[in-house]
Every structure is written in C-alpha cells, then in structure tokens.
Amino acid sequence: MPKLRGEAFWRETLRSAHYVVAPMVDQSELAWRLLSRRHGAQLCYTPMLHAQVFLRDANYRRENLYGEACPEDRPLIVQFCANDPEVFVQAALLAQDYCDAIDLNLGCPQMIAKRGHYGAFLQEEWDLLQRMILLANEKLSVPITCKIRVFPDIDKTVKYAQMLEKAGCQLLTVHGRTKEQKGPLAGVASWEHIQAVRKAVNIPVFANGNIQCLSDVEECIRKTGVHGVMSAEGNLHNPALFEGRNPLVWEMAEEYLEIVQKYPCPLSYVRAHLFKLWHHTLQVYQQLREELAKVKTLEGIVDVNRELKLRCQEEIANQKEGEKPKEGLPFFHWICQPYIRPGPKERCKENGASGTEKSVRGKRTLEEEEDGNSELLSKNKQKKKLRNPNKSFDPSLKPKYAKCDQCGNPKGNKCVFNMCRGCCKKRAFKETADCPGHGLLFKTKYEKSLSWQHSQRGIQSPEISQRGEAEVGEAVVLKEAGDS
C-alpha cells in the first residue's frame, strides 16, 4: 500500500487522535502508555530513543521496542534523537515495523541534548534537518513526523515549520516554548505561535504546553485550531486527564503497578512515576518519601504505595466536615491533580534565598557550570574540588578534540582516516588497510598470512616431487616385469 500522508495519515492511521501522550525520557514506557490508553489517551509516543545507540545495541532495541508485542499499544509513534541523516534513517528502518510513524526530536532543551548536539539545539541547522527528513521520507515505509520548540519570533517559527513540511514532515507537534524556557524558567507556552503554525502549514499539527486538565485541551483546540493536544507533565500527575476525571491517587498507582507486573520495566521508571502521582502526599509524609527513594524491589514499592494509601484513608476517616485542602491545592493531596511548577523567585524563597541573588539549584546548576561559572558547582564537583584544590571545571580549559569524519565522536589523533576507533575499524577491515594510530593492522596481517601460505607451498613442493619420482620408478619396474 502507498504511504499515507498528511491529513489522510492522521485520519486513517492515527484514527483522528486528539488526545496524545508525549514522548518522555524513561517515563512513557509501555506500562505507562497502556495505563494512559485505558483512561482516554488515543495516541502515544515512545520515550526518546538515541538513534546511534539503537542502531548498534541489540539489547537497547529489545528493552525499548522489541519486547513483548502488545496489540493494545497502537497507534504508536517512535521518537529518535539524532544529528546524522544516515544514522537516523538506519535506526528508523530497524524500528518502522513496530510503529505507525517515526518522530524526529527537535524539542529537547536539556543539557544532555546540548552536549550530544540534538533536540532543540539543531533548530538553527536547517540544511541538516532538511537532509535528515528528505532521506527518511524517501527510505521509510512509514511517515516521518517532527516535534519542535518555537523561536521567540513568530515569523521565524512559521518559516521553520514550513521548511520541515516541505522536506517531507507529515505531522508537526509544536511545543509553545523556546528552548530556554524549561524547569523553573518554563513560564507559559505561547498558543499564539502554535496558532500561526497551524494556519501556515497543510499538515496536521499537535499542540503541546499549558495542559493541566481536559478543559485546557478543549480550549487549546478551540483557540489554535490544532488536530490534537499533547500532554507530558499533566499526564504524569493525572493519567486520567483525558477522561476529565481526578481519581484517587492510589487507584491509578495500583493499576499501574498491576500493569508493570505483566510488562516489566526498570525500577527507576516505576519509582519516578510514583513520585509524580504521590507528589502532594509525599510533601506530607516525608518519611515515606525517603522509603520510596531507597526501596530496591518492586515488592518494596508496592508496600510503600500500600502504606501511603492507608495513611490517606486514615486521614479521610478523621476528616472534619467542611475541611478544605491545604497548601492552596484545588483538591486534597490524595486526589490526582496538576502540579504547578514554582518559578525562580518562589524556588529561591523555598530554599531560603532572597530575590534572585541566588540561582536556582538542581538541573539549572549544570547550565551555570557549562557557562564557566565556577562559583556554582554541583555537590559532586565540590567534593572533587576539596580533594584536589587545583582542579578546574572551566570548559574553556578542557582539551578540544577534533571530530570523527563519520559519526562526530572524538577522532584518534594519529588515525590515518581521521575517524574514531569504531569507524576506523570498520573502514580498515573493509579496505584491508592499516591504522597504526589505533593499532589496527589488517593489511599487515593479511600480507603475513599470504607469505605464510606461500612458504608452506614451498615446503610441500620437494615432497611432492620426490613422491612423483617414486611413483614413476614403480611404474617402470612393473612395466619391465610385465614384458618379461
């Protein structure tokens, strides 16, 4: 069958999906996708997968996509981060039989994406993105989609979206924040940008940002005209968001843990989900928060979840008539509800800092370090500094490595092909060549092998001659005997 495109792809393959679960690293795994689908989600994305790792590591493929087949988990879009057209397409070819489309991540704003040069940090490299999407659109049997963040300027955002559409993107998800808007600096997503993109392109558009309940979904569709709405944090705190319900936390937690029993995933994923679901309750029961952080088995997590449920039920039984939720929450802490991330000023107050004199800690610290601010080091680096006072974390003092011509990893300084060891080994083997810089001697070993084979033939030749002369002599004797 011909590959469906644009509106036909959204309508037929994606079944006109309006409610979408976002791709979330280590959080949108199979078990969570199944829970979300049971409670209103119509389309799910896999966690972001690293194309290069997916291509080279069979275990990574099995753990993240090739596990137990689950007919319920469709339609499904597999998302990759990549910065090389060939690597991206080869990884997508290995994944296309297990999904309905391949998504290119152009929206991840985290420091790991900056270091790896992918996600939102490719949004200025339009030539590279065109090559990646053109090649994928040509080679894949499933459509190619993209998830992007906006530029501050609406016109540039529109041109960016049109470029991706022209290259072959069949569906576009627009997160209405810039790559600088993240964590406590996230702020409000711009639906104005999303609306402008929707009007400017002829392919389906999903909106992402500002979604905390079902009414937000309906308002977003009405204001922007998009085909569907994607949720990440809202879904993590309330997997029944698309049903328009706010269920008891332990109902969702117990259902999720039952699914995990059938479709196992790493314990870190499970723990992270329960931290999100029980977020408000764990502020009340700090001891159970510590227990959840330390527990080493799934059974242990189930026990902590049961204890949290008992504490909440006891609190409900002792509740006074007319009592209202504390801490300004819309519901009591044992009910699934949105989490409003505090801004920089609020976070500073929580940490005992005044105004904006002290920077927000946590993930933001890594960015401060990347920018060379030596006064703001992580605890781990502070310990290293204590052990070695002369140690410097200034990135400008780090040695600069030339990149491999093939994959972008640091190349060997003495490599004859200007490649990293992995790429050099493949090329040297293919061309039967030597690379002394990497200690690869395919040509030398091949020549030695030929020389050894030639010497063996030389040793065997005299024996063959002697055997031949003996056979001739024997034949002469037999002939003379016959004549007599």
Side-chain angles (χ1 to χ4, degrees):
M1 292 179 63
K3 182 164 57 175
L4 295 177
R5 299 177 181 274
E7 290 275 349
F9 160 63
W10 172 72
R11 191 170 51 255
E12 297 181 33
T13 305
L14 302 185
R15 306 168 194 168
S16 301
H18 296 297
Y19 305 147
V20 186
V21 174
M24 298 173 283
V25 178
D26 297 345
Q27 293 285 269
S28 56
E29 82 286 357
L30 175 58
W32 188 260
R33 297 198 299 267
L34 293 178
L35 177 70
S36 300
R37 289 181 193 275
R38 290 182 185 181
H39 295 283
Q42 299 166 336
L43 168 66
C44 292
Y45 283 63
T46 66
M48 181 191 75
L49 305 178
H50 197 293
Q52 196 168 58
V53 180
F54 192 88
L55 183 59
R56 71 168 184 250
D57 192 335
N59 289 331
Y60 186 79
R61 294 194 291 272
R62 185 175 61 254
E63 290 167 3
N64 289 281
L65 191 63
Y66 290 5
E68 295 184 55
C70 185
E72 302 169 61
D73 191 34
R74 301 299 279 270
L76 177 69
I77 296 179
V78 173
Q79 188 188 69
F80 284 109
C81 68
N83 56 23
D84 179 277
E86 286 293 339
V87 171
F88 173 54
V89 171
Q90 291 302 316
L93 286 169
L94 292 174
Q96 65 179 0
D97 293 338
Y98 298 83
C99 62
D100 299 289
I102 298 294
D103 187 77
L104 177 61
N105 182 327
L106 301 176
C108 181
Q110 305 303 332
M111 287 310 300
I112 190 171
K114 183 177 181 180
R115 294 184 186 119
H117 192 54
Y118 58 79
F121 297 94
L122 294 178
Q123 66 179 13
E124 297 285 358
E125 300 185 37
W126 292 16
D127 289 340
L128 171 62
L129 297 181
Q130 281 181 315
R131 293 202 310 273
M132 292 176 75
I133 297 168
L134 281 167
L135 186 62
N137 194 40
E138 176 189 345
K139 298 289 186 182
L140 299 180
S141 62
V142 295
I144 177 76
T145 69
C146 296
K147 184 172 187 289
I148 66 172
R149 284 193 168 228
V150 300
F151 291 95
D153 180 58
I154 291 181
D155 289 339
K156 186 172 183 179
T157 303
V158 167
K159 290 177 183 176
Y160 182 40
Q162 290 173 330
M163 177 274 293
L164 296 172
E165 178 188 18
K166 187 176 180 181
C169 175
Q170 301 303 318
L171 183 147
L172 195 61
T173 300
V174 184
H175 187 157
R177 294 184 175 93
T178 65
K179 70 176 186 291
E180 291 76 26
Q181 288 181 276
K182 50 188 174 178
L185 305 176
V188 179
S190 170
W191 286 357
E192 187 181 358
H193 281 71
I194 299 172
Q195 182 187 37
V197 170
R198 171 68 188 98
K199 290 179 178 178
V201 299
N202 297 312
I203 55 176
V205 175
F206 289 158
N208 184 207
N210 302 346
I211 305 302
Q212 297 176 349
C213 56
L214 187 59
S215 61
D216 292 335
V217 175
E218 294 165 350
E219 184 182 3
C220 182
I221 292 175
R222 180 174 56 80
K223 286 189 174 181
T224 63
V226 292
H227 294 71
V229 171
M230 177 182 285
S231 174
E233 291 233 353
N235 166 260
L236 290 175
H237 288 275
N238 180 11
L241 180 151
F242 292 126
E243 285 184 321
R245 292 196 307 121
N246 294 89
L248 295 166
V249 173
W250 63 78
E251 288 181 2
M252 295 292 99
E254 287 175 345
E255 188 175 353
Y256 171 66
L257 291 170
E258 286 176 8
I259 299 173
V260 171
Q261 297 279 1
K262 186 175 180 181
Y263 299 101
C265 63
L267 199 66
S268 59
Y269 298 9
V270 182
R271 183 186 287 109
H273 279 302
L274 262 65
F275 268 120
K276 289 285 196 303
L277 287 170
W278 285 110
H279 174 82
H280 298 291
T281 301
L282 291 172
Q283 310 305 310
V284 179
Y285 301 112
Q286 290 287 337
Q287 183 182 353
L288 289 174
R289 179 185 180 84
E290 292 175 9
E291 288 185 25
L292 182 58
K294 294 176 181 177
V295 70
K296 302 293 184 183
T297 64
L298 183 60
E299 292 73 19
I301 287 181
V302 171
D303 290 340
V304 174
N305 185 69
R306 187 183 300 112
E307 182 61 28
L308 283 164
K309 175 183 176 179
L310 292 173
R311 297 281 183 95
C312 290
Q313 289 177 333
E314 184 179 343
E315 198 173 330
I316 293 170
N318 297 328
Q319 195 173 10
K320 296 178 182 178
E321 188 176 349
E323 189 174 343
K324 294 183 179 180
K326 299 176 182 178
E327 304 296 331
L329 297 176
F331 305 104
F332 290 101
H333 60 77
W334 53 79
I335 294 174
C336 289
Q337 57 193 295
Y339 164 62
I340 310 300
R341 191 189 295 272
K345 290 184 179 179
E346 290 85 351
R347 184 68 63 84
C348 285
K349 289 176 183 177
E350 288 177 13
N351 294 338
S354 58
T356 55
E357 291 179 3
K358 292 187 179 180
S359 297
V360 180
R361 299 297 297 169
K363 295 180 181 178
R364 302 287 73 74
T365 303
L366 295 175
E367 296 176 21
E368 302 287 353
E369 292 171 24
E370 287 288 326
D371 295 334
N373 191 338
S374 59
E375 295 179 1
L376 296 168
L377 296 177
S378 65
K379 290 181 180 178
N380 189 33
K381 289 186 177 180
Q382 287 175 14
K383 290 178 183 176
K384 291 180 180 179
K385 191 80 173 175
L386 285 173
R387 291 196 295 266
N388 182 5
N390 296 322
K391 190 171 183 64
S392 173
F393 296 100
D394 186 349
S396 64
L397 300 178
K398 291 182 179 178
K400 301 296 181 182
Y401 296 103
K403 292 185 177 180
C404 168
D405 292 345
Q406 191 72 20
C407 69
N409 287 328
K411 72 172 186 178
N413 291 332
K414 298 180 181 179
C415 178
V416 297
F417 298 117
N418 292 319
M419 293 180 174
C420 65
R421 180 176 173 79
C423 296
C424 175
K425 187 175 182 179
K426 291 177 184 176
R427 181 166 174 180
F429 178 78
K430 185 177 179 180
E431 298 180 7
T432 318
D434 284 352
C435 177
H438 279 123
L440 302 173
L441 304 173
F442 292 107
K443 181 180 178 182
T444 300
K445 290 179 180 179
Y446 178 68
E447 290 175 349
K448 284 184 178 180
S449 175
L450 290 178
S451 176
W452 181 82
Q453 290 177 14
H454 182 72
S455 66
Q456 289 297 107
R457 290 194 194 99
I459 293 171
Q460 291 174 1
S461 296
E463 295 177 358
I464 294 170
S465 301
Q466 292 172 6
R467 193 185 308 123
E469 291 172 1
E471 289 173 354
V472 171
E474 185 178 351
V476 170
V477 172
L478 289 172
K479 185 177 184 299
E480 290 177 350
D483 291 342
S484 64

PDB file of all heavy atoms in Angstrom, residues 149-169:
ATOM      1  N   ARG A 149      10.293  23.042  19.195  1.00  0.00           N
ATOM      2  CA  ARG A 149      10.019  24.192  20.066  1.00  0.00           C
ATOM      3  C   ARG A 149      10.020  25.438  19.189  1.00  0.00           C
ATOM      4  O   ARG A 149      10.567  25.428  18.080  1.00  0.00           O
ATOM      5  CB  ARG A 149      11.062  24.306  21.166  1.00  0.00           C
ATOM      6  CG  ARG A 149      10.840  23.280  22.278  1.00  0.00           C
ATOM      7  CD  ARG A 149      11.659  23.570  23.511  1.00  0.00           C
ATOM      8  NE  ARG A 149      11.192  22.733  24.612  1.00  0.00           N
ATOM      9  CZ  ARG A 149      10.915  23.157  25.836  1.00  0.00           C
ATOM     10  NH1 ARG A 149      11.091  24.435  26.147  1.00  0.00           N
ATOM     11  NH2 ARG A 149      10.510  22.331  26.767  1.00  0.00           N
ATOM     12  N   VAL A 150       9.431  26.494  19.696  1.00  0.00           N
ATOM     13  CA  VAL A 150       9.288  27.709  18.897  1.00  0.00           C
ATOM     14  C   VAL A 150      10.503  28.618  19.058  1.00  0.00           C
ATOM     15  O   VAL A 150      11.271  28.506  20.019  1.00  0.00           O
ATOM     16  CB  VAL A 150       8.007  28.470  19.287  1.00  0.00           C
ATOM     17  CG1 VAL A 150       6.781  27.605  19.055  1.00  0.00           C
ATOM     18  CG2 VAL A 150       8.060  28.945  20.745  1.00  0.00           C
ATOM     19  N   PHE A 151      10.657  29.529  18.118  1.00  0.00           N
ATOM     20  CA  PHE A 151      11.591  30.648  18.253  1.00  0.00           C
ATOM     21  C   PHE A 151      10.842  31.798  18.926  1.00  0.00           C
ATOM     22  O   PHE A 151       9.611  31.854  18.861  1.00  0.00           O
ATOM     23  CB  PHE A 151      12.086  31.098  16.878  1.00  0.00           C
ATOM     24  CG  PHE A 151      12.989  30.116  16.186  1.00  0.00           C
ATOM     25  CD1 PHE A 151      12.481  29.214  15.268  1.00  0.00           C
ATOM     26  CD2 PHE A 151      14.349  30.091  16.458  1.00  0.00           C
ATOM     27  CE1 PHE A 151      13.302  28.302  14.621  1.00  0.00           C
ATOM     28  CE2 PHE A 151      15.184  29.188  15.810  1.00  0.00           C
ATOM     29  CZ  PHE A 151      14.663  28.293  14.896  1.00  0.00           C
ATOM     30  N   PRO A 152      11.547  32.742  19.534  1.00  0.00           N
ATOM     31  CA  PRO A 152      10.840  33.905  20.106  1.00  0.00           C
ATOM     32  C   PRO A 152      10.013  34.639  19.055  1.00  0.00           C
ATOM     33  O   PRO A 152       8.925  35.130  19.338  1.00  0.00           O
ATOM     34  CB  PRO A 152      11.980  34.774  20.640  1.00  0.00           C
ATOM     35  CG  PRO A 152      13.100  33.811  20.916  1.00  0.00           C
ATOM     36  CD  PRO A 152      12.992  32.758  19.850  1.00  0.00           C
ATOM     37  N   ASP A 153      10.534  34.684  17.823  1.00  0.00           N
ATOM     38  CA  ASP A 153       9.859  35.382  16.731  1.00  0.00           C
ATOM     39  C   ASP A 153       8.858  34.450  16.040  1.00  0.00           C
ATOM     40  O   ASP A 153       9.222  33.355  15.590  1.00  0.00           O
ATOM     41  CB  ASP A 153      10.897  35.879  15.723  1.00  0.00           C
ATOM     42  CG  ASP A 153      10.271  36.616  14.569  1.00  0.00           C
ATOM     43  OD1 ASP A 153       9.576  37.616  14.812  1.00  0.00           O
ATOM     44  OD2 ASP A 153      10.448  36.167  13.422  1.00  0.00           O
ATOM     45  N   ILE A 154       7.601  34.868  15.914  1.00  0.00           N
ATOM     46  CA  ILE A 154       6.565  34.035  15.306  1.00  0.00           C
ATOM     47  C   ILE A 154       6.865  33.761  13.837  1.00  0.00           C
ATOM     48  O   ILE A 154       6.708  32.633  13.346  1.00  0.00           O
ATOM     49  CB  ILE A 154       5.174  34.684  15.467  1.00  0.00           C
ATOM     50  CG1 ILE A 154       4.758  34.657  16.946  1.00  0.00           C
ATOM     51  CG2 ILE A 154       4.134  33.962  14.623  1.00  0.00           C
ATOM     52  CD1 ILE A 154       3.390  35.265  17.214  1.00  0.00           C
ATOM     53  N   ASP A 155       7.306  34.795  13.093  1.00  0.00           N
ATOM     54  CA  ASP A 155       7.571  34.616  11.661  1.00  0.00           C
ATOM     55  C   ASP A 155       8.655  33.569  11.415  1.00  0.00           C
ATOM     56  O   ASP A 155       8.544  32.750  10.494  1.00  0.00           O
ATOM     57  CB  ASP A 155       7.998  35.951  11.034  1.00  0.00           C
ATOM     58  CG  ASP A 155       6.837  36.944  10.947  1.00  0.00           C
ATOM     59  OD1 ASP A 155       5.678  36.486  10.983  1.00  0.00           O
ATOM     60  OD2 ASP A 155       7.098  38.161  10.850  1.00  0.00           O
ATOM     61  N   LYS A 156       9.708  33.589  12.231  1.00  0.00           N
ATOM     62  CA  LYS A 156      10.774  32.597  12.065  1.00  0.00           C
ATOM     63  C   LYS A 156      10.256  31.202  12.402  1.00  0.00           C
ATOM     64  O   LYS A 156      10.629  30.212  11.747  1.00  0.00           O
ATOM     65  CB  LYS A 156      11.969  32.948  12.965  1.00  0.00           C
ATOM     66  CG  LYS A 156      13.173  32.039  12.719  1.00  0.00           C
ATOM     67  CD  LYS A 156      14.399  32.522  13.476  1.00  0.00           C
ATOM     68  CE  LYS A 156      15.606  31.634  13.159  1.00  0.00           C
ATOM     69  NZ  LYS A 156      16.825  32.077  13.865  1.00  0.00           N
ATOM     70  N   THR A 157       9.393  31.102  13.410  1.00  0.00           N
ATOM     71  CA  THR A 157       8.801  29.817  13.776  1.00  0.00           C
ATOM     72  C   THR A 157       7.978  29.269  12.618  1.00  0.00           C
ATOM     73  O   THR A 157       8.034  28.078  12.299  1.00  0.00           O
ATOM     74  CB  THR A 157       7.917  29.965  15.029  1.00  0.00           C
ATOM     75  OG1 THR A 157       8.703  30.492  16.101  1.00  0.00           O
ATOM     76  CG2 THR A 157       7.330  28.627  15.448  1.00  0.00           C
ATOM     77  N   VAL A 158       7.204  30.143  11.965  1.00  0.00           N
ATOM     78  CA  VAL A 158       6.373  29.733  10.827  1.00  0.00           C
ATOM     79  C   VAL A 158       7.244  29.248   9.668  1.00  0.00           C
ATOM     80  O   VAL A 158       6.975  28.201   9.058  1.00  0.00           O
ATOM     81  CB  VAL A 158       5.468  30.897  10.381  1.00  0.00           C
ATOM     82  CG1 VAL A 158       4.850  30.609   9.018  1.00  0.00           C
ATOM     83  CG2 VAL A 158       4.383  31.146  11.423  1.00  0.00           C
ATOM     84  N   LYS A 159       8.311  29.979   9.357  1.00  0.00           N
ATOM     85  CA  LYS A 159       9.213  29.573   8.270  1.00  0.00           C
ATOM     86  C   LYS A 159       9.884  28.238   8.594  1.00  0.00           C
ATOM     87  O   LYS A 159      10.104  27.397   7.716  1.00  0.00           O
ATOM     88  CB  LYS A 159      10.268  30.654   8.039  1.00  0.00           C
ATOM     89  CG  LYS A 159       9.702  31.922   7.424  1.00  0.00           C
ATOM     90  CD  LYS A 159      10.778  32.989   7.277  1.00  0.00           C
ATOM     91  CE  LYS A 159      10.191  34.287   6.721  1.00  0.00           C
ATOM     92  NZ  LYS A 159      11.210  35.375   6.648  1.00  0.00           N
ATOM     93  N   TYR A 160      10.231  28.048   9.850  1.00  0.00           N
ATOM     94  CA  TYR A 160      10.830  26.779  10.324  1.00  0.00           C
ATOM     95  C   TYR A 160       9.871  25.616  10.073  1.00  0.00           C
ATOM     96  O   TYR A 160      10.247  24.584   9.510  1.00  0.00           O
ATOM     97  CB  TYR A 160      11.125  26.942  11.818  1.00  0.00           C
ATOM     98  CG  TYR A 160      11.782  25.785  12.524  1.00  0.00           C
ATOM     99  CD1 TYR A 160      12.798  25.035  11.936  1.00  0.00           C
ATOM    100  CD2 TYR A 160      11.401  25.465  13.836  1.00  0.00           C
ATOM    101  CE1 TYR A 160      13.404  24.000  12.623  1.00  0.00           C
ATOM    102  CE2 TYR A 160      12.011  24.436  14.533  1.00  0.00           C
ATOM    103  CZ  TYR A 160      13.007  23.709  13.920  1.00  0.00           C
ATOM    104  OH  TYR A 160      13.611  22.675  14.612  1.00  0.00           O
ATOM    105  N   ALA A 161       8.611  25.804  10.444  1.00  0.00           N
ATOM    106  CA  ALA A 161       7.601  24.759  10.251  1.00  0.00           C
ATOM    107  C   ALA A 161       7.381  24.487   8.768  1.00  0.00           C
ATOM    108  O   ALA A 161       7.261  23.324   8.349  1.00  0.00           O
ATOM    109  CB  ALA A 161       6.293  25.183  10.917  1.00  0.00           C
ATOM    110  N   GLN A 162       7.341  25.524   7.960  1.00  0.00           N
ATOM    111  CA  GLN A 162       7.136  25.347   6.516  1.00  0.00           C
ATOM    112  C   GLN A 162       8.313  24.614   5.871  1.00  0.00           C
ATOM    113  O   GLN A 162       8.130  23.807   4.962  1.00  0.00           O
ATOM    114  CB  GLN A 162       6.917  26.712   5.857  1.00  0.00           C
ATOM    115  CG  GLN A 162       5.584  27.350   6.212  1.00  0.00           C
ATOM    116  CD  GLN A 162       5.446  28.768   5.687  1.00  0.00           C
ATOM    117  OE1 GLN A 162       6.443  29.496   5.548  1.00  0.00           O
ATOM    118  NE2 GLN A 162       4.216  29.184   5.398  1.00  0.00           N
ATOM    119  N   MET A 163       9.519  24.893   6.357  1.00  0.00           N
ATOM    120  CA  MET A 163      10.699  24.190   5.850  1.00  0.00           C
ATOM    121  C   MET A 163      10.604  22.694   6.144  1.00  0.00           C
ATOM    122  O   MET A 163      10.884  21.856   5.275  1.00  0.00           O
ATOM    123  CB  MET A 163      11.954  24.785   6.484  1.00  0.00           C
ATOM    124  CG  MET A 163      13.265  24.105   6.096  1.00  0.00           C
ATOM    125  SD  MET A 163      13.714  22.662   7.114  1.00  0.00           S
ATOM    126  CE  MET A 163      14.015  23.428   8.695  1.00  0.00           C
ATOM    127  N   LEU A 164      10.182  22.345   7.360  1.00  0.00           N
ATOM    128  CA  LEU A 164      10.055  20.941   7.734  1.00  0.00           C
ATOM    129  C   LEU A 164       8.967  20.256   6.914  1.00  0.00           C
ATOM    130  O   LEU A 164       9.121  19.107   6.481  1.00  0.00           O
ATOM    131  CB  LEU A 164       9.751  20.823   9.232  1.00  0.00           C
ATOM    132  CG  LEU A 164      10.848  21.321  10.188  1.00  0.00           C
ATOM    133  CD1 LEU A 164      10.332  21.328  11.630  1.00  0.00           C
ATOM    134  CD2 LEU A 164      12.091  20.464  10.083  1.00  0.00           C
ATOM    135  N   GLU A 165       7.861  20.958   6.681  1.00  0.00           N
ATOM    136  CA  GLU A 165       6.784  20.395   5.862  1.00  0.00           C
ATOM    137  C   GLU A 165       7.277  20.139   4.435  1.00  0.00           C
ATOM    138  O   GLU A 165       7.016  19.076   3.855  1.00  0.00           O
ATOM    139  CB  GLU A 165       5.597  21.359   5.836  1.00  0.00           C
ATOM    140  CG  GLU A 165       4.445  20.858   4.953  1.00  0.00           C
ATOM    141  CD  GLU A 165       3.342  21.891   4.769  1.00  0.00           C
ATOM    142  OE1 GLU A 165       3.600  23.094   5.029  1.00  0.00           O
ATOM    143  OE2 GLU A 165       2.236  21.501   4.360  1.00  0.00           O
ATOM    144  N   LYS A 166       7.986  21.101   3.870  1.00  0.00           N
ATOM    145  CA  LYS A 166       8.490  20.964   2.504  1.00  0.00           C
ATOM    146  C   LYS A 166       9.476  19.806   2.381  1.00  0.00           C
ATOM    147  O   LYS A 166       9.539  19.113   1.357  1.00  0.00           O
ATOM    148  CB  LYS A 166       9.149  22.274   2.077  1.00  0.00           C
ATOM    149  CG  LYS A 166       9.556  22.309   0.612  1.00  0.00           C
ATOM    150  CD  LYS A 166      10.125  23.669   0.236  1.00  0.00           C
ATOM    151  CE  LYS A 166      10.536  23.700  -1.232  1.00  0.00           C
ATOM    152  NZ  LYS A 166      11.110  25.022  -1.608  1.00  0.00           N
ATOM    153  N   ALA A 167      10.248  19.570   3.440  1.00  0.00           N
ATOM    154  CA  ALA A 167      11.237  18.479   3.420  1.00  0.00           C
ATOM    155  C   ALA A 167      10.579  17.106   3.474  1.00  0.00           C
ATOM    156  O   ALA A 167      11.198  16.107   3.101  1.00  0.00           O
ATOM    157  CB  ALA A 167      12.211  18.631   4.581  1.00  0.00           C
ATOM    158  N   GLY A 168       9.328  17.024   3.943  1.00  0.00           N
ATOM    159  CA  GLY A 168       8.635  15.735   3.968  1.00  0.00           C
ATOM    160  C   GLY A 168       7.995  15.368   5.287  1.00  0.00           C
ATOM    161  O   GLY A 168       7.473  14.260   5.436  1.00  0.00           O
ATOM    162  N   CYS A 169       8.015  16.273   6.268  1.00  0.00           N
ATOM    163  CA  CYS A 169       7.354  16.005   7.542  1.00  0.00           C
ATOM    164  C   CYS A 169       5.846  15.908   7.328  1.00  0.00           C
ATOM    165  O   CYS A 169       5.250  16.774   6.682  1.00  0.00           O
ATOM    166  CB  CYS A 169       7.677  17.128   8.532  1.00  0.00           C
ATOM    167  SG  CYS A 169       6.817  17.002  10.113  1.00  0.00           S
TER     168      CYS A 169
END
